[in-house]
Amino acid sequence: MKFIICLLFCLVGYSQIPNNIIIGDSQTPYVDRNSKKVERVVGLWKGGIDVPVLIKMVQRYKVSPNVQNVFLCIGTNDLYVDKGIDKLFKSIRITFPNAKIYVIQGSWGWGGVTHTKYDKIKKYYKRYQELGGTIIGPPIGKGDPHCDCPVYKKIGKVIDNILL
């Protein structure tokens, strides 16, 4: 009897993880707010993080085979320099073994990426694509992304169409 009760509690906890998640940096909540079909997960996003921090977060998260799609919103705080994209993909594939990975291109023209050009950003995200990620557009784009910019509605609509 104790086994059955324990099993039920485990299944209830397990089923609470959404099937379609978005993880990443401070731009993540803005994308999340503009999509009806994707959800942020506590512990898998945080403002100011870069790829190495996201890797640690993903590695600490419980293995979740029910997650079907992972949307990544990361790169801006890496200044579009590869700081472990391969390792991030390996970690995501271990933690979310059945998930397809989509990648949201970040922002530039502000803060540490003031002088970054879109050509550098395209080259940076090409590595994500080479590893099997699907790049979605439009990018968050030029300017401070810490507001509910109109581009987030476009990105949210693209995500929702993917998940139809």
Side-chain angles (χ1 to χ4, degrees):
M1 185 66 172
K2 287 181 184 179
F3 173 76
I4 293 172
I5 291 171
C6 182
L7 181 64
L8 287 174
F9 277 113
C10 289
L11 289 174
V12 168
Y14 176 76
S15 67
Q16 291 177 349
I17 300 168
N19 291 335
N20 305 302
I21 64 171
I22 182 167
I23 66 176
D25 61 22
S26 63
Q27 296 162 107
T28 302
Y30 297 102
V31 176
D32 176 46
R33 277 187 217 136
N34 287 281
S35 168
K36 294 180 178 96
K37 299 185 182 270
V38 74
E39 294 180 48
R40 277 178 290 154
V41 177
V42 174
L44 292 176
W45 77 274
K46 185 177 180 182
I49 67 167
D50 58 6
V51 165
V53 173
L54 186 57
I55 290 167
K56 289 177 187 167
M57 294 166 89
V58 170
Q59 288 173 338
R60 286 192 302 252
Y61 202 77
K62 63 185 168 195
V63 173
S64 304
N66 65 314
V67 172
Q68 297 170 356
N69 298 288
V70 173
F71 289 83
L72 281 174
C73 190
I74 197 77
T76 304
N77 297 316
D78 292 277
L79 308 179
Y80 301 107
V81 173
D82 186 341
K83 295 183 178 178
I85 299 168
D86 291 40
K87 190 172 180 181
L88 176 60
F89 266 68
K90 286 177 188 167
S91 299
I92 290 170
R93 288 196 173 109
I94 290 168
T95 303
F96 307 108
N98 299 314
K100 183 162 171 65
I101 302 170
Y102 294 90
V103 184
I104 299 157
Q105 301 168 82
S107 61
W108 63 91
W110 68 280
V113 288
T114 298
H115 302 293
T116 303
K117 303 290 183 220
Y118 185 53
D119 285 343
K120 180 178 182 178
I121 292 160
K122 286 192 293 190
K123 184 179 177 186
Y124 172 81
Y125 287 113
K126 187 172 177 25
R127 184 66 190 136
Y128 288 85
Q129 190 171 23
E130 290 168 352
L131 292 168
T134 300
I135 308 300
I136 63 171
I140 293 169
K142 191 169 184 176
D144 188 341
H146 301 102
C147 61
D148 207 5
C149 309
V151 72
Y152 290 122
K153 286 182 180 38
K154 292 177 185 175
I155 296 168
K157 186 175 269 190
V158 168
I159 290 170
D160 290 350
N161 285 336
I162 288 169
L163 298 175
L164 280 177

